[in-house]
Amino acid sequence: MADTQYITKNRLSQEVNKARIWVAIIGAPIAGFLMYKLPNLWWIVGLIYLFSIVGAASTKRSGARGELKTLKLLEKLPDSYVLFNQVDVPNSRAKRGFTELDLIVVGPNGVFVVEVKNNNSKVTGDDQAAYWTAHKVGRKGGRYTAKVRNPIKQLKKQVHVLAEHLKKNRASTWIDGVVFFSHRSARVKLSSPPSVPVLERKGLVEYILNYQPKRAPSNVEKVVQQLVELKQMTV
């Protein structure tokens, strides 16, 4: 089993809980007022209030599920692999001053940044496009599309930011990137071959285990040390 000692509680899950609490607090007096004014429709108001609480921050909830599901898969790696989740890497060009990486795997055959997507639909796009398209089906069967950021571009940015940070701290090493669609209903269709691996539902552990680096990984212990320090800064 992989080394998971640096895995911390998922921040997205915590943000979802906070969002639900705020919706409950703010919505309670509004719901109470409407029930008082519309006594014959109290059950409709109650249902709307309940669904508002449950649906709060649904995108973040989906993201948290995807990351947790992917983490469970990565835990199957041998104990020579070390896992990190939600690592904030300093980035002066980012609005928040850092770039968040979903998952990082450090092992004897390399360092891997994993960008997790939990889309439950068909996704189409192109390697170079700024956005991809998610083809969704609504609750009543209606079809619609939604734009999603190109995860390949996100991943390449993350790899670059991490590589810069490691180089600055004398822990330079080659970093490989993987885009992983974790939802069982995900289907990805790209108009051209991707420049980085894009995996659906399975194959992530096998990819990492079978990865053959062009050159032997260097500074592995220093990389782990740097990632540990970054995690300590965000706790």
Side-chain angles (χ1 to χ4, degrees):
M1 181 177 176
D3 185 345
T4 60
Q5 64 176 306
Y6 305 114
I7 297 298
T8 52
K9 189 172 182 179
N10 192 285
R11 286 197 300 246
L12 291 177
S13 297
Q14 295 175 314
E15 290 172 7
V16 168
N17 292 334
K18 289 180 181 178
R20 285 178 171 174
I21 291 173
W22 276 110
V23 170
I25 293 174
I26 296 174
I30 298 175
F33 175 78
L34 291 175
M35 287 180 179
Y36 175 75
K37 288 292 185 180
L38 304 170
N40 294 331
L41 300 176
W42 67 268
W43 61 276
I44 295 179
V45 175
L47 284 175
I48 293 174
Y49 177 56
L50 179 62
F51 284 133
S52 297
I53 295 174
V54 174
S58 59
T59 300
K60 290 184 178 181
R61 184 171 68 250
S62 176
R65 287 175 178 172
E67 290 180 15
L68 291 172
K69 187 185 302 181
T70 305
L71 187 57
K72 287 294 183 183
L73 291 174
L74 292 173
E75 287 178 356
K76 298 177 182 178
L77 288 165
D79 58 9
S80 54
Y81 289 83
V82 186
L83 307 183
F84 295 86
N85 70 323
Q86 296 182 320
V87 179
D88 295 340
V89 183
N91 180 6
S92 59
R93 297 181 293 275
K95 291 182 180 179
R96 296 186 296 174
F98 64 88
T99 296
E100 181 183 316
L101 279 60
D102 291 342
L103 295 167
I104 302 175
V105 182
V106 182
N109 59 336
V111 177
F112 306 85
V113 174
V114 183
E115 171 64 13
V116 181
K117 296 299 179 185
N118 198 39
N119 299 77
N120 62 344
S121 60
K122 178 182 177 181
V123 178
T124 60
D126 179 78
D127 190 288
Q128 298 299 320
Y131 291 92
W132 290 2
T133 303
H135 303 262
K136 301 185 176 184
V137 179
R139 293 181 179 178
K140 295 183 179 180
R143 297 180 180 276
Y144 66 99
T145 60
K147 286 185 176 181
V148 295
R149 286 192 297 171
N150 182 342
I152 292 179
K153 286 187 175 293
Q154 288 181 272
L155 177 66
K156 288 183 175 180
K157 175 183 177 181
Q158 294 168 6
V159 169
H160 176 71
V161 169
L162 179 59
E164 279 191 332
H165 178 80
L166 294 177
K167 182 179 180 181
K168 181 180 178 181
N169 289 276
R170 299 181 180 181
S172 296
T173 191
W174 176 259
I175 302 172
D176 192 51
V178 184
V179 175
F180 183 64
F181 283 81
S182 58
H183 200 282
R184 62 183 180 181
S185 299
R187 299 291 185 275
V188 182
K189 186 176 182 179
L190 303 180
S191 58
S192 59
S195 53
V196 300
V198 178
L199 307 177
E200 304 170 24
R201 306 180 303 283
K202 56 184 179 180
L204 179 60
V205 171
E206 292 77 11
Y207 172 80
I208 292 175
L209 286 174
N210 296 324
Y211 179 77
Q212 298 293 328
K214 296 180 180 178
R215 52 187 176 184
S218 58
N219 298 320
V220 174
E221 292 184 1
K222 289 184 178 180
V223 171
V224 171
Q225 181 182 350
Q226 285 298 315
L227 293 176
V228 170
E229 290 180 5
L230 288 175
K231 287 292 292 185
Q232 290 174 341
M233 290 172 59
T234 59
V235 173

